[in-house]
Amino acid sequence: MSESIRIDLEHDEALVIFEYLARCRSGDYVPASSDKIALDNLECLLERQIAEVFNPNYAHELEAARARLLAQYGDR
């Protein structure tokens, strides 16, 4: 097995990235097999770290995280 790396994300970044990965998996995006494995693994790792995923107010929490990221970094 290859060695692990650590990536530190702000919580809002992790939440927004998780949602993006979940949408990619359920949408029309068809990555190469190795890409899909890596993206699925990342989604699973994020899901274990983000409590909002299981919160009934998930959509609200996601929108708030998106708004905070836009406020902090602007629309790039």
Side-chain angles (χ1 to χ4, degrees), residues 2-75:
S2 61
E3 72 181 77
S4 297
I5 62 167
R6 179 179 170 183
I7 299 173
D8 290 321
L9 298 171
E10 292 181 13
H11 187 81
D12 289 342
E13 292 170 326
L15 183 59
V16 171
I17 290 169
F18 169 79
E19 178 63 21
Y20 173 78
L21 292 171
R23 281 195 334 251
C24 284
R25 187 162 44 115
S26 64
D28 294 331
Y29 174 68
V30 182
S33 294
S34 58
D35 294 348
K36 183 174 178 354
I37 291 168
L39 292 173
D40 286 350
N41 288 345
L42 178 58
E43 181 186 355
C44 289
L45 290 170
L46 290 171
E47 185 177 44
R48 290 192 296 230
Q49 298 294 317
I50 302 171
E52 288 88 349
V53 172
F54 304 105
N55 187 326
N57 295 323
Y58 174 74
H60 175 72
E61 296 290 336
L62 176 62
E63 287 306 313
R66 286 175 170 157
R68 287 189 296 269
L69 286 174
L70 282 174
Q72 184 174 357
Y73 297 105
D75 190 12

